[in-house]
Amino acid sequence: MLQLSKEETLALRDKHIGKSCQLFFRKDPLKIVRAKGQYMYDERGDAYLDCINNVAHVGHCHPKVVQAGCDQMTTLNTNNRFLHDNIVLCAKRITSTMPENLKVCFFVNSGSEANDLALRLAQTYTGNKDMIALEHAYHGHLTSLIDISHYKFNLPGGVGQKEHVHVASLPDSYRGKYRDTHYKKEEIGKLYANEIKEICEKIQKEKGNGICAFIAESLVSCGGQVIPPKDYFKEVYKHVRAAGGICIADEVQVGFGRIGKHWWAFQQYDVEPDIVTMGKSMGNGHPVACVVTTEEIADSFLRTGVEYFNTYGGNPVSCAIANAVFDAVEKENFREHALVVGEYLLDSCQILAKRHKCIGDVRGMGLFVGIDVVQDRLSRVPDNKCAQYVLQRMRDEHILISIDGPHSNIIKIKPPMVFTKENVDEVLTTLDRILKEYRHNTEIYTINSSRHKKTADISSNKEHRPRKQSKDKIKSI
């Protein structure tokens, strides 16, 4: 295969790939040519520790997952209108991890397709259109999903909020509307859930119809690695169902055992969604995803005479790979691993926070952790500048992290499940050094700025000041 230089690859990309298709590290993007486990390698063979690739769920190029795909590809790959074992075995495995009522699967190719299909099912089943989603949420790149993704439609060049879309406050007890500084922990979830109740009541009163659906990530990723309050979803689901709507749990980012304690993050909240969507990690990088729902909701397509067909969704190769991912999670105890290493990661981040005042909050479950970078802890003002510095310097040290959240100040850590305690030590030791470096550079800048300002003040006002006082001030700097 022809091997291009990095410069040649960039030149062809600039010529043929849409300019809006962004890369990590735009000024000097990485060219990754291979990966293994939790490491990625550039064209020079340099290794980078991957702290962000929840897509490569059981590790980059997991040998048994790769082999399963290769074996099936050499035997058969066709569309899912032919009877085949892989799709039904995959469906059986998925539903075995779900509440009893969630027993019907629709296979698709991506998390975006899964969420789009979930919306279609909800609209068909309820006969309603009004959707409730969360502030700063992201659910995919299809038009139907951009419409409900505040993270996208609220951008300066975004499409804006559609009439049928209703946005509720992000249930963030650290930075949100109801904070842990003013409200008791047990109150916060209900306060945020009451907003959903008010939205439902307003729709019923003004439009004379019910809700279509409420959709939310079980743990909010793009919104800033936010962990909703414990009783939030239980209250929300109650209000939505009372208004005729159904509840959709988006597990695209956090499913398949990433939180350790459970297969799915919604299980942490002791709720039963009406629809669950999944993708990304399901195929360890291969395009396969799924919608799981109840028989009643699934059969609503039949009642309207709508046939569902997806050419590639659930094809034999995709399902062989998904089944191999299940095997890896179960046989290699990745859920237990995520719990143990995740607790170590969270504890290590909290210890680091005690050393650095720029860390306002540390939150997470399993291998899904966020570090909220602030200018000061009292005001909790986001420090995007510090976060950007950390992002670039960590890359310099061959550690790949990302930042997100409405203020782009949240350091996100969601690595492949093979991430180890030794990896945690490497990341946190390096982060500690970089934060010290940033503080030192900032202090020097502040001192130099102060010196420049005072010298300028003395120079511009010297005719009004006693000479001796001016000398004393210069000497004291």
Side-chain angles (χ1 to χ4, degrees), residues 110-218:
S110 69
S112 290
E113 275 195 22
N115 282 331
D116 177 73
L117 179 57
L119 298 192
R120 278 183 57 198
L121 282 164
Q123 289 169 359
T124 303
Y125 177 72
T126 65
N128 299 322
K129 189 176 180 182
D130 288 88
M131 290 290 306
I132 303 176
L134 294 180
E135 183 184 25
H136 310 307
Y138 176 67
H139 295 288
H141 63 83
L142 301 184
T143 301
S144 64
L145 303 173
I146 296 295
D147 284 349
I148 64 167
S149 296
H150 182 260
Y151 180 82
K152 287 291 186 182
F153 75 66
N154 198 49
L155 290 170
V159 297
Q161 188 171 339
K162 299 291 178 68
E163 185 184 349
H164 71 283
V165 177
H166 308 270
V167 179
S169 296
L170 180 67
D172 181 356
S173 58
Y174 177 74
R175 183 176 296 291
K177 184 176 181 180
Y178 303 109
R179 298 187 177 191
D180 53 14
T181 51
H182 294 85
Y183 299 94
K184 294 179 181 178
K185 187 177 180 180
E186 58 272 17
E187 295 177 330
I188 296 176
K190 291 184 178 181
L191 287 169
Y192 278 114
N194 280 340
E195 281 196 18
I196 306 290
K197 181 182 180 182
E198 291 168 4
I199 291 171
C200 291
E201 291 173 346
K202 184 178 179 182
I203 292 169
Q204 289 176 305
K205 182 179 179 181
E206 294 181 357
K207 298 189 177 184
N209 58 266
I211 297 295
C212 173
F214 165 80
I215 185 170
E217 291 180 282
S218 303

Side-chain angles (χ1 to χ4, degrees), residues 367-381:
L367 290 174
F368 181 89
V369 171
I371 300 173
D372 198 313
V373 182
V374 298
Q375 292 180 19
D376 71 86
R377 287 177 178 168
L378 186 61
S379 69
R380 302 186 179 183
V381 173

Side-chain angles (χ1 to χ4, degrees), residues 315-327:
N315 70 74
V317 172
S318 293
C319 288
I321 289 171
N323 286 331
V325 171
F326 260 105
D327 283 341

Side-chain angles (χ1 to χ4, degrees), residues 4-17 19 23-31:
L4 302 175
S5 68
K6 183 175 178 178
E7 291 72 23
E8 289 172 327
T9 304
L10 273 172
L12 281 175
R13 185 180 178 92
D14 287 343
K15 184 176 181 180
H16 298 298
I17 306 298
K19 296 294 190 293
L23 293 166
F24 287 128
F25 312 108
R26 296 177 208 175
K27 291 183 180 179
D28 182 21
L30 287 173
K31 182 176 180 180

